[in-house]
Amino acid sequence: MSFRSVVSLLWLVVLTMFLVNCDAYKKTSLSITPANATLSPGSTIQFRAIETSTHAGHPNRSTDVTNQVTWESSNTAVATISTSGLATSVGPGSTTITATGDGSFGVLNANATLTASGHDLLSLSIVPSSQILYAVAETAQFVTIGTFNSDPITQDMTDQVTWRSVDVNLATINSSGLATAVSCAIGSCDTTITASATSANGNTITSDPAALTIEPNAGGSTLPSLTVYKVGLGTGTVVSTPAGTGIICGTGAACTGNFVLNSTVTLVATADPGSVFGGWSANCLPSTPSAPPSSGTCTVTMANSETVGAIFNQQ
């Protein structure tokens, strides 16, 4: 073969390669969907990598390349991610999810933001929703129950919230939820009690108000009362010991008994099948379950009318 023939053949090959290359779609960009995501504790989310190919004069092509890219989480203390793009929440915070793949003109990268929440407070409730004081300087105990986004769903927050009495001239309330009647110049005086706390995400959570009424001339029991409220999505029983001493909470949500001033009352909680006992409000000690997850015992001193919360969560 002559030199001219070889050169012609080489030019033909180059031209053919050029024409083939011009006719091909180019891998030009990579994206992740969703671009922003939020996870609750322990949950997962599937990310997908979408490759875009372009060709002059033709519509763009989108191809799912989730299983062909390399996945990475910038903060594995917040979330991990598998080789198939499945992210799992580990702890609160934010991390950047990156997908890396090969493009027609080099390496392609795409980023997404993943925010993982911790065990975070969603709402607060006060129990009871109303109480009556029959004398100035008499006290009443309020309890705050917090609802969270992950287990344990329900927890006592009595000592962790900021308490507020709308009218401190009528009644005050201390940091432990103990309200004290200050004055009442007329037959009946009313104020409201609220509790607030800051969630892990920085949101201020405030309870619905509870009513506190002062009726100095209305009489009422001379013995302080103990009211037990069962809270949470689980079920169970609460009784005082020895048996028959005033508190028997079976199927009802609350029960009340009157006890001698400064006496000590022992309460026993037992979770029903399918439920776990989550503990007592902070004014009944010890507040943590003594025999988790099925039962617990605590004692409360009747220095005033007391409210105790018994927390039952679903198993």
Side-chain angles (χ1 to χ4, degrees):
M1 181 180 292
S2 66
F3 176 75
R4 180 177 293 180
S5 298
V6 171
V7 172
S8 298
L9 181 60
L10 287 174
W11 273 111
L12 180 62
V13 170
V14 171
L15 180 61
T16 301
M17 292 177 65
F18 176 77
L19 292 174
V20 169
N21 195 46
C22 286
D23 191 51
Y25 273 85
K26 306 297 189 301
K27 301 175 182 179
T28 55
S29 65
L30 192 66
S31 62
I32 297 176
T33 182
N36 295 280
T38 300
L39 285 183
S40 57
S43 60
T44 61
I45 187 170
Q46 178 66 55
F47 285 98
R48 297 202 173 277
I50 305 300
E51 179 185 84
T52 299
S53 300
T54 60
H55 187 338
H58 297 271
N60 292 347
R61 289 179 179 175
S62 295
T63 307
D64 189 329
V65 291
T66 301
N67 294 317
Q68 302 171 40
V69 297
T70 300
W71 292 98
E72 183 180 1
S73 170
S74 65
N75 190 347
T76 55
V78 172
T80 60
I81 190 161
S82 71
T83 56
S84 61
L86 183 67
T88 302
S89 171
V90 176
S94 181
T95 184
T96 299
I97 301 299
T98 302
T100 303
D102 294 327
S104 296
F105 305 104
V107 176
L108 298 177
N109 291 295
N111 295 325
T113 300
L114 174 61
T115 301
S117 60
H119 184 62
D120 204 6
L121 179 66
L122 299 179
S123 65
L124 293 170
S125 59
I126 297 178
V127 290
S129 59
S130 64
Q131 294 200 70
I132 300 175
L133 295 177
Y134 296 103
V136 171
E138 187 178 354
T139 58
Q141 179 68 50
F142 286 94
V143 170
T144 303
I145 302 299
T147 300
F148 291 78
N149 62 353
S150 60
D151 290 334
I153 296 296
T154 310
Q155 290 182 243
D156 173 62
M157 296 285 290
T158 304
D159 289 342
Q160 302 173 52
V161 298
T162 300
W163 290 97
R164 178 175 180 264
S165 169
V166 171
D167 192 341
V168 295
N169 294 315
L170 297 179
T172 59
I173 188 164
N174 68 12
S175 59
S176 298
L178 186 67
T180 303
V182 174
S183 66
C184 184
I186 58 177
S188 178
C189 304
D190 297 291
T191 186
T192 55
I193 302 297
T194 60
S196 61
T198 302
S199 70
N201 288 331
N203 298 320
T204 299
I205 308 296
T206 302
S207 69
D208 289 335
L212 181 62
T213 301
I214 305 169
E215 295 184 353
N217 301 314
S221 174
T222 57
L223 293 176
S225 63
L226 172 60
T227 304
V228 176
Y229 286 85
K230 294 187 295 180
V231 295
L233 298 177
T235 59
T237 60
V238 179
V239 298
S240 57
T241 60
T245 56
I247 298 294
I248 304 175
C249 289
T251 57
C255 50
T256 301
N258 292 99
F259 297 87
V260 175
L261 184 66
N262 293 322
S263 63
T264 298
V265 180
T266 299
L267 298 174
V268 179
T270 304
D272 291 336
S275 297
V276 294
F277 177 60
W280 306 94
S281 56
N283 59 321
C284 201
L285 300 174
S287 58
T288 55
S290 55
S294 60
S295 63
T297 301
C298 76
T299 58
V300 58
T301 300
M302 299 301 297
N304 43 255
S305 292
E306 294 283 350
T307 298
V308 170
I311 301 169
F312 294 94
N313 289 306
Q314 291 179 334
Q315 196 166 34

